[in-house]
Amino acid sequence: MDSQWLAGGAWDAPAGAVRTAHVWHARDVRVRTVTAGAIQALVAGVCRGDDAEISRVALAVASGRTAEITSMGGSYWMVVHDGERRRTVVAGDLAESRGVFTARAGSEPVWATDPALLATRLGRGPDLELLAARVTVGSAEHWPGRSVWSGVERIPGGRALILDDGGTRTVDVRPRPDGRSLEAGAGEVGAALWAAAQGYARAAGPRVSADLSGGLDSSAVVFAAAAVSRVVAVTYGGPLADAEDTRLARRVAAHVGAEHHVSSGGRASAHFSRWPQARPHAPVLPVSSYPLDADYLPPARAVSLVHLTGHGGDVVLESSTAAWTALAQNGQLRRARSAVTALARRVNAAPGPMWRTVRDGARGRPSALYRAAEAVAEGQLPGDGLGAWTWCPVGAATRWLTPYGRHVVAGMLEESGRMVGDVDAGEWDDWSALRYNGSALRDSEPLFAEHGVHQVSPFLDNEVVRACLRIGAGERRRPDRYKPLLALARPDLPDWLTGRRSKGHFTPLLYEGLRLRHQDLRQVIDASELVSCGLIEPAAVHTALDAAVAGVGRPPLPALESFLITSWWLDRLGHSAPAGGAR
């Protein structure tokens, strides 16, 4: 599929360009412009509003009600230009699957939906310090204004960029929890999810392809789509798949009458068993799982314009245990401790260490980031909270950093604690996870185009995100129930589906791939640009890889996977110019 990007600001306008933004390439993606007096609006992507609604939203945004820019259903970019006030507002979707980035060309601001376009214009390379921090201490949300390209700023999902005579700034346009209960908000969630899933299915034509992993999220999307279209469902199967996932996927497909394909799986589909030909827009997990996707996706090729997935359902339907830290922050200590105790009992652990981690987190984000910075700088590993959520997990991967790398990452954490400040833990983690999922969907597009599908996720559409995140994190997370919001939102789903309490995972495929490609992956470590620039010590990463291959101890698998993907991506950058566009 072809990519699309938009750009605006102090660019040289091509002949006939829309005043609001330059549509540099837009094949296969709908772009609409609406004009109302001095107000001009451009909408690109999947927007379920008609021209009248676009006009209404544009006038609201121009009058100062900026949050209206994400109020329509779908996943789209919107640009509103007020010619009289010389003011432009730009935003992508709430989940950041439609990204917006900005930089300065000389003294003037420019923006684009493709960060590589800006990096090429500025002559900038990848931000190696940010990439090293992402590998060793996790979430890039600690640095929300940084993209993977040096000198190119990211506009996080849920924020809008404003350009006027005063320069540039961003404003918060996120929906916020409004105190509604799980029960009170469930109806809106169910209606929004069905509207999004069925909107994609209807637009796809008589048939639509869909993932059907056997989990609640993809199963719910298939139920919705099957009511309006013929579904071609694809499932990863075989000896390394979770047997319960495969069984439930078969049951869902039979229940809705979907055409169902279960792949053969096996060792050839293990993680890292082969590399993609395409390069994603940023380091993303589907690089390692490329063989798995190549195994199960072929029946979905050319079935429809979009391929439905359940990506992001984990994030919007349920919060992480950060919700309990938020309860403690807000003085609801009894409720928070009760939830922690229930979790500890379920995993057969003592609640004391877990509760201490929650109480420490409730002291606030700045305090936690300063402590993390100190631990990284000194090469220390804090005590184990036994699975309790923390603002910044400092684990074994931080010991991969060189002394210079520790200095860099510790300084970044300290600056983040000072600049970002204190926030509600539940909301912060909800939005961190949402943006992670949205940007992963965006950045993975070249990989799935190679597989012959264009992935979309109804769970990441604006109306679904808004309906879910108006329910607070503490409401969506229950210690004794798995994704309780889905059953309440769609009581028409069968109990045998919504009563499921867990989901399988692909860790066996990762271990198998590390064993199969052990020697090749050692070469990836040695050739890594994160090593050659002095941020990462290769011997420490070799030790982690060898431990994983031997099945010894508890190596930091997520960090190891991230390091290998990032190193491969950087190597591919060295062999080609920055790639164009995110859809």
Side-chain angles (χ1 to χ4, degrees), residues 484-505:
L485 179 54
L486 182 61
L488 290 169
R490 297 303 311 188
D492 51 340
L493 292 173
D495 292 343
W496 51 261
L497 175 63
T498 56
R500 191 174 185 193
R501 297 181 60 86
S502 63
K503 173 72 170 66
H505 55 80

Side-chain angles (χ1 to χ4, degrees), residues 53-71 78 80 82 85 87 89 91 160 162 169 171-174 466:
E53 187 172 6
I54 292 172
S55 180
R56 178 192 63 78
V57 169
L59 290 171
V61 170
S63 69
R65 301 200 305 276
T66 313
E68 291 290 312
I69 201 166
T70 61
S71 63
M78 186 169 189
V80 178
D82 185 336
R85 294 184 177 89
R87 180 174 180 263
V89 182
I162 298 178
R169 64 188 186 279
V171 295
D172 194 341
V173 295
R174 294 176 296 166
R466 182 174 295 103

Side-chain angles (χ1 to χ4, degrees), residues 240-316:
L240 295 176
D242 183 271
E244 178 61 17
D245 283 352
T246 304
R247 185 195 68 80
L248 194 65
R250 292 186 189 278
R251 187 172 183 182
V252 170
H255 188 89
V256 303
E259 177 186 328
H260 192 206
H261 301 267
V262 180
S263 74
S264 57
R267 297 180 71 196
S269 62
H271 287 35
F272 292 114
S273 56
R274 60 191 173 106
W275 298 106
Q277 293 298 310
R279 190 189 73 234
H281 301 306
V284 284
L285 288 177
V287 168
S288 62
S289 64
Y290 176 84
L292 179 154
D293 296 323
D295 180 70
Y296 86 95
L297 282 172
R301 279 181 175 267
V303 169
S304 55
L305 293 175
V306 297
H307 178 74
L308 293 169
T309 76
H311 293 328
D314 287 339
V315 176
V316 295

Side-chain angles (χ1 to χ4, degrees), residues 285-366:
L285 288 177
V287 168
S288 62
S289 64
Y290 176 84
L292 179 154
D293 296 323
D295 180 70
Y296 86 95
L297 282 172
R301 279 181 175 267
V303 169
S304 55
L305 293 175
V306 297
H307 178 74
L308 293 169
T309 76
H311 293 328
D314 287 339
V315 176
V316 295
L317 292 176
E318 189 174 42
S319 179
S320 75
T321 55
W324 302 338
T325 300
L327 291 175
Q329 279 181 298
N330 297 325
Q332 300 182 53
L333 297 179
R334 180 176 296 179
R335 185 179 169 194
R337 183 152 198 168
S338 175
V340 169
T341 301
L343 174 62
R345 287 173 177 165
R346 191 162 64 247
V347 299
N348 197 28
M354 194 178 294
W355 176 241
R356 283 194 291 274
T357 300
V358 171
R359 286 295 302 270
D360 284 346
R363 292 163 56 187
R365 184 179 178 280

